[in-house]
Amino acid sequence: MTMSMQEKIDKLVRSEIRALTAYHVPPANDLIKLDAMENPWSWSAELRTAWLDALQSVEINRYPDPSARQLHASMRAAMAVPASAAVILGNGSDELIQMIIQTLASPGRVVMAPDPTFVMYRQIATVANMGYVAVPLQTDFSLDEAAMLAALEEQQPAVIFLSYPNNPTANLFDAGSLRKIVSRADGLVVIDEAYAPFTDASLMPDIGDYDNLLVLRTVSKMGLAGLRLGLLAGPAAWLEQIDKTRLPYNISVLNQVTGRFALAHADILAAQAREIRAQRAALISGLQGLPSLTVFPSEANFILFRTPRGQATALFEGLKTAGILIKNLDAPGGPLQDCLRVTVGLPEENAVFLAALRELLQAD
Ligand SMILES: *Cc1c(COP(=O)(O)O)cnc(C)c1O
């Protein structure tokens, strides 16, 4: 008896995995790319030359330093990690989310997060065979503290993920609510600060105050999305356990040298973040000046807005035809119905986007 390949797949691959769709990123081709929260500035020729010089010293035939000590020091300084906190580096913060979940995964245990939020929490929990509890945000996308606390009591999640600011809604949750959740939870609470460069808010200084608070950072949104480098900070006893799930040499020699080089020029990235914050304010007022849009507040490098009922997909497609790629979040009946998300780009890209959107809204 031989099974067909499809029968073998159906028999061996868990149904939850078969039901997933792989993380999909549409090709940007020659479009103006305002869909993925990237920093729009690339490096100067001078900086590139200095970087390539730094790479000359890489011994590509050798395994990297398994604990990436020098890069640890650069990352701790760049992210202002309290001296008392321990740190793990990941191949992007996505890998750290995966390591946290793998450390806690066990049948019947659940991961909890508000909804809508970053899709990888659910995706990674599902792959790890864990349950996932999504607690709806309020209609203005603020955290429903009472609902979170009730769900926490009832579900006893092994870990709660809170994106701060939240992707894809761009707002900050109330810090008092976050601290209340951390103190009530028996499980871990991970504050995911991927958008830290674009806000003054952070729970990084709170790490020493709780025994279950972890803070996640990444260099991706600050201008190094191509590098794949994230940082997890928290109590040493927790990180010692989580570090056991890390594959050896997860940070390549190229990443270690490039990360150190880039963070030695952190002033350039910080200046770009300040410029992105200024452009964000301009883009928000530009969007507010267009007819019939609802623009949500942003503490990140992207802006969520709601279009008139039923028009989001047509506007998204119209922008694409005009050469601009943003993100369509519209899902009929869901909390993001009629919503689009635009990443803050170069001043001229933002202007082209606003002009095209104005034209599409007027043509309607
Ligand atoms: C983009 C993003 C990440 C992923 O960051 P990488 O370091 O690029 O893996 C994590 N969390 C949130 C909330 C994000 O928006």
Side-chain angles (χ1 to χ4, degrees), residues 17-325:
I17 305 280
R18 279 185 274 126
L20 285 176
T21 34
Y23 192 78
H24 173 70
V25 182
N29 301 324
D30 290 331
L31 299 174
I32 293 178
K33 200 170 179 319
L34 302 178
D35 64 325
M37 284 77 113
E38 291 147 330
N39 175 330
W41 283 281
S42 57
W43 288 1
S44 68
E46 208 181 6
L47 201 59
R48 278 169 196 273
T49 304
W51 170 38
L52 294 177
D53 279 350
L55 286 173
Q56 297 273 6
S57 66
V58 167
E59 291 199 74
I60 201 74
N61 56 315
R62 303 287 180 199
Y63 279 109
D65 172 4
S67 47
R69 272 160 305 201
Q70 291 173 303
L71 182 57
H72 264 248
S74 309
M75 287 286 278
R76 289 189 84 104
M79 310 291 182
V81 177
S84 63
V87 151
I88 300 175
L89 300 185
N91 184 27
S93 53
D94 286 344
E95 188 187 39
L96 295 163
I97 297 168
Q98 186 178 50
M99 286 165 57
I100 295 164
I101 289 179
Q102 280 177 344
T103 303
L104 304 173
S106 185
R109 292 204 192 151
V110 300
V111 174
M112 188 171 121
D115 180 68
T117 191
F118 187 46
V119 294
M120 291 311 291
Y121 308 143
R122 184 196 289 270
Q123 183 104 353
I124 294 170
T126 304
V127 170
N129 219 353
M130 281 183 99
Y132 186 84
V133 178
V135 179
L137 294 173
Q138 316 258 29
T139 48
D140 66 354
F141 302 127
S142 62
L143 199 64
D144 188 339
E145 185 191 290
M148 287 294 289
L149 292 174
L152 191 152
E153 290 299 324
E154 195 186 306
Q155 307 280 347
Q156 295 292 319
V159 54
I160 301 172
F161 285 94
L162 293 155
S163 173
Y164 183 68
N166 189 41
N167 175 10
T169 57
N171 59 318
L172 282 172
F173 298 139
D174 179 72
S177 298
L178 298 187
R179 293 192 178 97
K180 201 176 278 182
I181 290 166
V182 178
S183 42
R184 293 271 188 93
D186 285 327
L188 284 174
V189 179
V190 180
I191 306 294
D192 182 348
E193 299 188 349
Y195 299 96
F198 314 106
T199 180
D200 297 329
S202 171
L203 261 63
M204 186 69 91
D206 290 56
I207 284 180
D209 300 345
Y210 304 92
D211 64 10
N212 60 338
L213 171 63
L214 305 182
V215 175
L216 198 56
R217 291 284 186 89
T218 175
V219 301
S220 295
K221 313 294 156 62
M222 68 167 64
L224 303 166
L227 189 58
R228 311 306 301 135
L229 181 61
L231 169 145
L232 178 67
W238 274 114
L239 267 60
E240 197 184 308
Q241 300 301 326
I242 295 168
D243 198 44
K244 296 174 188 173
T245 68
R246 187 170 61 86
L247 295 176
Y249 312 116
N250 65 325
I251 312 293
S252 79
V253 277
L254 299 175
N255 270 10
Q256 292 190 29
V257 170
T258 303
R260 284 172 57 212
F261 174 83
L263 294 174
H265 297 87
D267 55 326
I268 297 175
L269 300 175
Q272 290 171 346
R274 280 194 297 277
E275 177 62 20
I276 289 168
R277 286 166 80 153
Q279 290 302 320
R280 170 180 73 198
L283 189 50
I284 286 174
S285 53
L287 284 167
Q288 283 168 337
L290 298 183
S292 56
L293 297 181
T294 305
V295 185
F296 295 97
S298 171
E299 289 278 323
N301 63 340
F302 61 92
I303 299 159
L304 183 77
F305 59 97
R306 180 167 275 134
T307 70
R309 175 62 52 98
Q311 291 185 26
T313 297
L315 289 168
F316 169 79
E317 293 297 341
L319 286 166
K320 210 153 98 178
T321 306
I324 304 146
L325 183 64

